[in-house]
Amino acid sequence: MAKINCIGILTSGGDAPGMNAAIRAVTRSAIYNGLEVKGIMRGYRGLIYDEIEPFKTNSVSNIIQQGGTILKTARSKEFQTAEGRQIAYEALQREGIDALVVIGGDGSLTGARIFAQEFNYPIVGLPGTIDNDLQGTDLTIGYDTALNTIMQAVDKIRDTASSHERLFFIEVMGRECGFLALNGAIASGAEAAIIPEMMLQQDQLADLISNGFRKSKNSSLVLVTEGDITGGAMAMAERVKIEYPQYDVRVTILGHVQRGGSPTANDRILASRMGAAAIDALLDGQRNVMIGIQNDEIVYVPFSKAIKKNKPVQQDLLNTLKVLSI
Ligand code: F6P
């Protein structure tokens, strides 16, 4: 196995709070271990357009508390083509970069997996996404911060919901994954979460209404995962207006407010641990794995497993939400 002297680091896909803490940890840990570091701008795009710069210890000073990513990010269409990946590989050779650390979500790690296989190139991934939808890790970097943002927003909406005795559908991010909605609902004491994972099993909206979810309350808050599977908060509200006109319904779509902001202590610590673990993994000969965390222990998860769809939500969370919303 070729010796690693220089690593490249990039962030790709949607930004997530804690990505900067991860960049800092990867950079400092690499330098601590005698490696050279290069920062690649705008995700895989930076490899194709040669936007690569040397990183020193102070390149990552004062960023642990910042949301977003100092490396910028993109969803590169070119990298999805064989020609694009060939150009990227040539850039890595030219720059003397022997291995990559890729911070991103399932799209970014899918790209990493393909590239690693095509060129037999060492890559370690870090799970950076607010969606918490990667398999083999209990948590992803950014998820905890987004959850706290959702909780604070719902706390505020509750004031209006209860003053006006309204039913609110609050749409949160997560693509096909209901973690943000489900845990956001538990954390904010909402009545229910409508999530993709439950969509096929039951008509969650009809269940809520038929259980008389407003009987003992003067207001209700329901978190809904965005996307085609649930149809989103607007679709829920439209249905209620037609089928249950007695309710005074409103919709709030939280949108990109969920992606920004200073990372929580938990996200900073997770990102720092995972960033350091990425360098340990590369030096240890690990290839093409994502760093995960399970039961508070760092684990290595093969890319093929990490990017599998349909990460299961815990049944006890669903039960807890149901029991606590009576
Ligand atoms: O994957 C993170 C995420 O925020 C999803 O929850 C959301 O569906 C998507 O990215 C939005 O992407 P964009 O910022 O490109 O609109």
Side-chain angles (χ1 to χ4, degrees):
M1 207 176 279
K3 189 169 179 301
I4 295 172
N5 295 310
C6 173
I7 62 135
I9 173 168
L10 63 85
T11 49
S12 161
D15 64 307
M19 278 185 163
N20 281 326
I23 295 167
R24 172 180 179 269
V26 170
T27 303
R28 296 231 165 132
S29 174
I31 293 171
Y32 179 86
N33 283 285
L35 303 178
E36 210 185 314
V37 181
K38 293 195 176 175
I40 298 154
M41 301 302 292
R42 299 179 180 81
Y44 296 115
R45 209 189 119 91
L47 287 175
I48 294 166
Y49 291 95
D50 232 338
E51 296 178 273
I52 302 170
E53 45 192 76
F55 259 35
K56 304 285 172 223
T57 309
N58 63 6
S59 310
V60 293
S61 296
N62 221 348
I63 65 167
I64 194 168
Q65 77 286 10
Q66 289 174 23
T69 160
I70 59 160
L71 288 173
K72 315 282 183 201
T73 186
R75 294 191 170 102
S76 170
K77 287 260 180 296
E78 286 122 314
F79 194 74
Q80 289 172 22
T81 67
E83 298 76 41
R85 291 193 293 275
Q86 180 63 38
I87 297 171
Y89 181 68
E90 284 161 17
L92 289 168
Q93 300 292 98
R94 206 169 44 244
E95 290 279 342
I97 299 173
D98 307 309
L100 273 182
V101 177
V102 171
I103 308 171
D106 60 345
S108 310
L109 299 187
T110 301
R113 181 182 180 227
I114 296 169
F115 188 81
Q117 272 176 354
E118 274 175 353
F119 297 96
N120 188 24
Y121 191 86
I123 307 186
V124 166
L126 294 187
T129 167
I130 65 165
D131 299 340
N132 200 30
D133 58 350
L134 289 161
Q135 301 254 12
T137 186
D138 296 341
L139 296 166
T140 58
I141 297 165
Y143 169 64
D144 185 63
T145 307
L147 204 49
N148 277 280
T149 303
I150 291 168
M151 181 187 73
Q152 285 157 15
V154 177
D155 285 350
K156 292 192 170 78
I157 294 168
R158 179 186 288 286
D159 291 344
T160 299
S162 99
S163 303
H164 285 264
E165 303 184 84
R166 281 177 178 161
L167 163 60
F168 265 86
F169 288 102
I170 303 160
E171 183 172 304
V172 301
M173 284 186 167
R175 293 185 196 269
E176 290 94 42
C177 191
F179 280 96
L180 286 171
L182 182 54
N183 280 322
I186 294 175
S188 57
E191 275 57 51
I194 295 184
I195 60 172
E197 292 83 346
M198 296 303 292
M199 229 34 213
L200 290 178
Q201 274 107 306
Q202 65 202 91
D203 183 342
Q204 294 169 272
L205 182 62
D207 284 358
L208 284 171
I209 306 274
S210 66
N211 289 339
F213 71 124
R214 272 185 100 194
K215 264 188 203 141
S216 58
K217 302 180 182 186
N218 63 6
S219 67
S220 285
L221 302 167
V222 178
L223 272 65
V224 184
T225 305
E226 65 177 359
D228 294 340
I229 302 180
T230 64
M234 280 297 203
M236 291 295 149
E238 286 312 314
R239 228 185 108 185
V240 169
K241 277 183 199 158
I242 295 164
E243 295 175 35
Y244 313 97
Q246 67 273 31
Y247 294 116
D248 187 12
V249 192
R250 291 292 186 279
V251 167
T252 303
I253 297 173
L254 294 184
H256 286 82
V257 74
Q258 297 162 91
R259 283 243 293 270
S262 181
T264 58
N266 281 333
D267 268 332
R268 296 182 198 195
I269 295 165
L270 181 70
S272 300
R273 284 178 82 182
M274 286 182 159
I279 297 303
D280 291 346
L282 281 171
L283 293 176
D284 204 30
Q286 292 290 330
R287 301 289 182 261
N288 314 329
V289 291
M290 178 191 82
I291 304 297
I293 190 137
Q294 288 174 17
N295 303 321
D296 208 27
E297 301 263 352
I298 291 288
V299 292
Y300 300 146
V301 187
F303 284 150
S304 53
K305 176 174 178 193
I307 59 180
K308 273 210 180 103
K309 297 274 175 224
N310 305 328
K311 181 176 179 177
V313 291
Q314 297 93 321
Q315 187 60 43
D316 80 280
L317 292 175
L318 291 162
N319 294 344
T320 302
L321 179 58
K322 193 169 171 195
V323 168
L324 300 187
S325 64
I326 51 166

